[in-house]
Amino acid sequence: MHTFVRSGLLAATALAAGLTLLPDAALAADAAAQAEPAAAQVDDDATDTRGDVIIVTARRRQEAAQAVPLAISVIKADSVESTGNFNIVRLQQLAPTLQVYTSNPRNTSVNIRGLGAPFGLTSDGFEQGVGIYVDDVYNARVAAATFDFLDIAQVEVLRGPQGTLYGKNTTAGAINITSNQPTFTYEGRAELTVGNLNFKQGKAAVSGPLSDNVAIRLAGAVTSRRGTIYNVTSRQFINAQDNVGLRAQLLWKPGDTLSLTLSGDYSAQDPECCGTVYVRTGLTQRALNRQYAARVAAANAATPGRNYAVPSTNPYDRLTDLDSNLNAGNTIGGASLKANWELGAGSLTSITAWRFWDWKPENDRDFTGLSIVARSQNPSQQNQYSQEFRYNHSGDTIDFVVGLFGFRQRVDTQGTEQQGTDAALWSLSPSTSPTNVANIPATLAGLTATNTQYLKSDSAALFGQASWKVTPELTIQPGVRLNYDKKEGFYQRVVTTGAGVVIPSCAPTATAGNAVLTAQCGVYQPQLTTPSASAWNFTYDFNVNYKFARDVLGYVTFAKSFKTLGINQNGLPLDANNQPDLSTSTVRPEAVLHFEAGLKTQFLDRRATFNLSAFITDIKDFQATVNGGQFGTVRGYLANAEKVRSQGIEADFKIVASDRFTAYANGAYTDAKYKRFTNAPCPPELAGGTFYAAGVTPDLSLAGVPGSPSPRACDISGQALPGVSKWAFSYGAEYNVPAKLLEKDGQIYFGVDGNYRSSWNSNASPSRYTVVDAYALTNVRAGFRGEGLDVFAWVRNAFDTNFMDLLQVAPGNVGLIAGQPGDPRTFGGTIKVSF
């Protein structure tokens, strides 16, 4: 049997148990030498009885995946490509404990086990709980998740706190992406995919020597696809895909003990994106004449001849009527220099990196075809610089990694939000008087908030982890981290009327007796804040693992971790005097206690793998998003929830029954909830009425009854965290038979993969209006795989299942719920060639 047949089969199931497969030990050793020269010694357990090497680099050294006492899923490039999961957003279909939600590249949440980033609008002033690393370089902006993978070798999803091995501390986990490296033998590959919805994707990479000690690798990818939603206003399909990516790497090996890799990459997106469709409406506490249906009727009555209605009330018709410009212009890139130097029994690694991110958005923030918010855009530019030194020592009894990390980031943002001609009628209290401010479009039309802000963020850390092999079976693994963070921010909002007059103040003394100014200040208020904060943190973890048998490893882990402090960068809420509440400028660090136990096993002559893990993570001062639901610029800000807990069980199974058949199944049960959050934003059904008097307990049975009083804040203790399905599964199988094509020996194969997620809530405070129903997706593929050739047809979402990627509560407290439907059935074909 040819090696490519076996490795192709195994690649399809490697993702099940977090395994990366290389065809033989020589290739594994070559990859190890390029990555971490002194750490290239893979222990004997890496080689199974079938001669395949299974390695990962999650702990900064080459190890057998089954020997790593860590919950980890590793997905090989072949598996990513065959299942059509070409970026992190789509990767959650393969990793059940990964949750990725995006309303646009900036507002993207990447969570593991329900933890990582506050659900809702993104703020520059807080850190990600899930780190994204590409070739050991930390990507501070989660927008990187929306770009195509570019010539990758594998993706490792590490679950649980990662602070004693990685430069940037992360509390929920890390996504460690490794690209293919330059080689001293000539090789190349090309891939072309076409499908319905005008889907086109091309990828190519070439690598080889320039001299005896210099090698180069060049790679590129381009993806385009027609949008899945038709905008009847612009007469265009929106939410398209439009990605271009390039990477170049130069490897210099002046000797056997030193290698330097210079890398540069650039990726760009420029789709008409990102829009929503009408999903439903629900009653809020507002009077009936201030809810969605009445507001639409009033807007029609105010303009003779207008008969506005949404193009469809069925979201899966995929029709919208958004009237503002949409754009998601997005570029990301940078350069890095990685040096590896063997020093005796260890290696010294230096990684110097610069990255940039340029975001040029335009949005329709009222989610309707009415001119309520005429413009909404917050372009920003980020530059980040990082330096990491890491020493990795391997010994007979003691292994250790010690590192020093420095990071500097600056983000500049220039925002513009402008009210439209329907804003006054929509947002202000209705009146039958024609001279009332609500009936005069000029009251709010053209009212503009211009925001200028910047963030300066610096951090430094000393970290390390040791492995003490007490006996051949027992290993004790402690780790520590000392971390310093400093954040400085600036935020200024200038408000001008439609006539271009600057509003200097919204204090009660300024608005008294002026109905127009009072109305305008109810939407936008001038602000100037300069938040700053700094903090030291000392954290640690402790792992004990025991090899009960050659193929049975058990482990327990305790970690005390943290997410660093945050500052509010998008404006502050107002106090009783209509002035910024400065007490909300900063957000306390999260304090994390994490417990985990796991078991990793192989059996049936290592043709089968079963892994199990159980965890409990408690977080004090959880950084959550608070959203007032208004059209004003302060749409959401960060605050601390008293306590959050995520607990659950994860299992994965894979089997290589023969060279003809493989299968895998992964599952996760995740119970993530607010243990205590007594000052949370209220869900929409409790919003918009008159406030209860202080100290009065709200009658929640009246939720959604128009005119009922609203609590100023809600106690959502015991409620589930947003975005988390309690149950999630993924599965796959592939069967093949030997065949020939174009005189090439190979195999005809058929594969199926799918995933299931139980229902979850799509609002920061759970609402009955934002429940995303459970769904299951199934994908199939069939083709021929031979030496240097892979041709297959595919169908994704084969049963054309209707499901929602995301639901959003429209601002204004009118009860409108908008959403982004998931992809319908898509189909196409792919051809891959390599040499």
Side-chain angles (χ1 to χ4, degrees):
M1 179 65 64
H2 292 292
T3 298
F4 76 87
V5 175
R6 186 175 66 238
S7 62
L9 285 164
L10 293 173
T13 56
L15 58 91
L19 307 180
T20 298
L21 307 186
L22 296 176
D24 52 47
L27 283 179
D30 181 65
Q34 293 183 34
E36 299 278 2
Q41 299 176 358
V42 181
D43 78 38
D44 292 339
D45 288 344
T47 304
D48 71 17
T49 56
R50 307 180 71 246
D52 297 294
V53 178
I54 304 169
I55 62 171
V56 295
T57 59
R59 294 198 299 172
R60 303 308 197 188
R61 54 183 177 267
Q62 303 289 328
E63 296 178 286
Q66 289 299 105
V68 178
L70 174 70
I72 176 175
S73 298
V74 181
I75 306 169
K76 199 175 187 298
D78 286 351
S79 298
V80 172
E81 293 166 357
S82 65
T83 55
N85 296 282
F86 52 82
N87 60 25
I88 292 175
V89 174
R90 291 169 171 261
L91 204 61
Q92 62 180 326
Q93 296 184 16
L94 300 178
T97 53
L98 181 66
Q99 300 99 25
V100 187
Y101 305 109
T102 177
S103 58
N104 60 49
R106 183 175 188 269
N107 291 320
T108 299
S109 300
V110 178
N111 288 353
I112 293 175
R113 297 169 170 171
L115 306 174
F119 196 87
L121 293 169
T122 299
S123 169
D124 296 323
F126 71 91
E127 304 287 344
Q128 304 296 324
V130 176
I132 299 175
Y133 293 85
V134 181
D135 292 336
D136 286 353
V137 176
Y138 174 71
N139 283 248
R141 298 310 308 175
V142 75
T146 67
F147 284 93
D148 290 357
F149 293 134
L150 187 57
D151 191 28
I152 65 166
Q154 65 185 39
V155 180
E156 302 173 9
V157 181
L158 287 68
R159 308 193 288 274
Q162 307 296 323
T164 62
L165 280 174
Y166 285 77
K168 194 69 174 175
N169 183 74
T170 53
T171 56
I175 298 174
N176 192 23
I177 302 168
T178 304
S179 65
N180 291 309
Q181 299 298 298
T183 59
F184 285 96
T185 56
Y186 288 105
E187 66 176 42
R189 62 187 297 270
E191 176 181 328
L192 178 64
T193 299
V194 295
N196 65 326
L197 303 180
N198 294 326
F199 180 70
K200 304 180 188 68
Q201 186 175 69
K203 300 179 182 179
V206 62
S207 181
L210 296 180
S211 69
D212 289 342
N213 57 12
V214 178
I216 191 171
R217 188 176 191 94
L218 302 173
V222 59
T223 301
S224 65
R225 192 185 77 175
R226 194 202 76 189
T228 55
I229 297 174
Y230 185 72
N231 189 339
V232 300
T233 301
S234 65
R235 298 184 180 180
Q236 291 182 317
F237 284 95
I238 63 171
N239 295 8
Q241 295 175 8
D242 182 9
N243 300 337
V244 176
L246 301 169
R247 174 182 286 127
Q249 297 162 286
L250 192 67
L251 170 65
W252 179 37
K253 298 189 70 175
D256 293 336
T257 62
L258 179 64
S259 67
L260 293 94
T261 304
L262 178 64
S263 302
D265 67 279
Y266 174 86
S267 296
Q269 299 175 331
D270 192 24
E272 185 172 0
C273 187
C274 299
T276 57
V277 300
Y278 173 100
V279 176
R280 64 176 67 97
T281 59
L283 288 176
T284 72
Q285 306 281 47
R286 282 190 161 192
L288 284 175
N289 65 358
R290 298 202 65 188
Q291 306 218 27
Y292 177 80
R295 291 296 83 209
V296 170
N300 286 334
T303 305
R306 179 160 68 176
N307 188 26
Y308 175 76
V310 294
S312 175
T313 56
N314 179 0
Y316 299 110
D317 286 340
R318 294 181 168 83
L319 296 175
T320 192
D321 61 353
L322 303 179
D323 62 328
S324 297
N325 290 338
L326 296 178
N327 187 28
N330 197 13
T331 57
I332 197 168
S336 67
L337 177 64
K338 181 176 182 178
N340 282 308
W341 184 20
E342 290 189 42
L343 294 173
S347 66
L348 178 65
T349 300
S350 170
I351 306 162
T352 307
W354 160 71
R355 297 203 60 76
F356 73 89
W357 178 56
D358 192 358
W359 170 231
K360 298 178 180 177
E362 293 181 279
N363 304 296
D364 191 322
R365 279 206 53 251
D366 58 48
F367 301 162
T368 74
L370 298 172
S371 182
I372 303 167
V373 179
R375 296 178 64 194
S376 179
Q377 53 198 51
N378 285 276
S380 64
Q381 308 83 41
Q382 178 207 276
N383 280 277
Q384 69 167 68
Y385 304 86
S386 61
Q387 173 63 55
E388 181 173 350
F389 296 104
R390 190 171 65 236
Y391 181 73
N392 190 330
H393 171 84
S394 296
D396 294 335
T397 305
I398 300 289
D399 296 338
F400 67 84
V401 177
V402 62
L404 181 65
F405 179 76
F407 177 82
R408 169 162 289 183
Q409 174 190 35
R410 171 148 181 158
V411 183
D412 289 275
T413 302
Q414 312 82 35
T416 302
E417 187 160 298
Q418 186 175 84
Q419 297 287 289
T421 54
D422 293 314
L425 188 66
W426 188 271
S427 302
L428 303 180
S429 296
S431 173
T432 57
S433 170
T435 61
N436 187 276
V437 291
N439 295 319
I440 302 174
T443 301
L444 296 182
L447 183 70
T448 303
T450 304
N451 309 321
T452 303
Q453 59 180 297
Y454 68 75
L455 168 73
K456 297 178 182 178
S457 178
D458 295 288
S459 65
L462 178 65
F463 60 92
Q465 188 180 93
S467 295
W468 175 29
K469 304 166 192 175
V470 181
T471 70
E473 296 79 23
L474 176 65
T475 300
I476 297 175
Q477 184 177 292
V480 295
R481 181 184 185 92
L482 179 64
N483 203 95
Y484 174 76
D485 289 281
K486 181 179 181 181
K487 296 182 185 297
E488 298 178 69
F490 173 85
Y491 178 85
Q492 183 178 37
R493 184 196 305 147
V494 176
V495 181
T496 54
T497 68
V501 177
V502 175
I503 297 176
S505 173
C506 284
T509 54
T511 59
N514 189 332
V516 172
L517 183 58
T518 298
Q520 293 169 340
C521 285
V523 178
Y524 300 137
Q525 311 84 23
Q527 279 196 28
L528 176 62
T529 58
T530 56
S532 65
S534 62
W536 287 89
N537 291 95
F538 176 76
T539 54
Y540 53 87
D541 56 37
F542 190 79
N543 175 282
V544 177
N545 56 87
Y546 189 82
K547 191 176 292 186
F548 295 97
R550 182 170 182 263
D551 292 327
V552 180
L553 175 70
Y555 65 90
V556 292
T557 298
F558 169 74
K560 182 181 184 298
S561 187
F562 76 101
K563 184 196 284 187
T564 189
L565 52 82
I567 60 176
N568 273 306
Q569 276 293 106
N570 296 335
L572 302 179
L574 304 180
D575 60 21
N577 294 317
N578 218 25
Q579 297 300 302
D581 182 358
L582 298 180
S583 68
T584 63
S585 295
T586 60
V587 184
R588 294 185 298 276
E590 293 183 355
V592 181
L593 292 179
H594 174 78
F595 304 85
E596 185 160 342
L599 189 68
K600 293 192 167 187
T601 68
Q602 294 181 94
F603 50 97
L604 295 181
D605 197 23
R606 292 194 170 180
R607 290 180 177 271
T609 301
F610 178 73
N611 296 334
L612 187 68
S613 61
F615 65 91
I616 298 177
T617 305
D618 284 328
I619 301 181
K620 181 182 177 182
D621 289 329
F622 180 78
Q623 295 172 359
T625 298
V626 174
N627 190 334
Q630 301 300 320
F631 278 110
T633 307
V634 186
R635 309 191 296 276
Y637 60 96
L638 289 175
N640 292 106
E642 292 94 325
K643 188 175 182 180
V644 159
R645 171 174 291 175
S646 176
Q647 58 187 353
I649 298 175
E650 302 158 345
D652 55 70
F653 169 78
K654 75 106 176 182
I655 185 169
V656 183
S658 68
D659 288 338
R660 305 270 74 85
F661 179 75
T662 64
Y664 71 87
N666 305 330
Y669 170 80
T670 307
D671 178 24
K673 63 179 58 176
Y674 298 105
K675 291 293 289 182
R676 182 172 173 80
F677 194 5
T678 58
N679 194 35
C682 292
E685 53 265 45
L686 284 174
T690 58
F691 286 125
Y692 276 99
V696 176
T697 302
D699 183 357
L700 298 183
S701 67
L702 298 175
V705 177
S708 298
S710 299
R712 293 182 182 274
C714 286
D715 184 346
I716 60 172
S717 302
Q719 296 291 315
L721 287 179
V724 187
S725 297
K726 274 202 171 184
W727 296 97
F729 303 97
S730 63
Y731 68 90
E734 185 177 299
Y735 179 76
N736 74 83
V737 295
K740 269 193 173 185
L741 180 66
L742 301 176
E743 301 303 318
K744 291 181 179 291
D745 290 327
Q747 57 193 235
I748 293 174
Y749 63 89
F750 173 81
V752 59
D753 62 89
N755 70 293
Y756 166 84
R757 290 187 180 271
S758 62
S759 63
W760 54 277
N761 211 289
S762 187
N763 193 52
S765 294
S767 166
R768 59 188 171 197
Y769 303 146
T770 55
V771 175
V772 176
D773 293 333
Y775 62 88
L777 304 178
T778 303
N779 313 311
V780 296
R781 62 188 181 277
F784 172 85
R785 181 191 296 122
E787 192 72 51
L789 178 67
D790 191 358
V791 183
F792 62 95
W794 47 265
V795 182
R796 293 162 192 150
N797 191 4
F799 299 110
D800 203 19
T801 299
N802 288 330
F803 68 103
M804 279 290 163
D805 277 336
L806 193 70
L807 294 178
Q808 295 175 269
V809 178
N813 292 330
V814 297
L816 173 61
I817 307 297
Q820 293 179 338
D823 283 353
R825 179 193 296 122
T826 57
F827 53 86
T830 299
I831 180 169
K832 298 192 291 184
V833 295
S834 61
F835 64 88

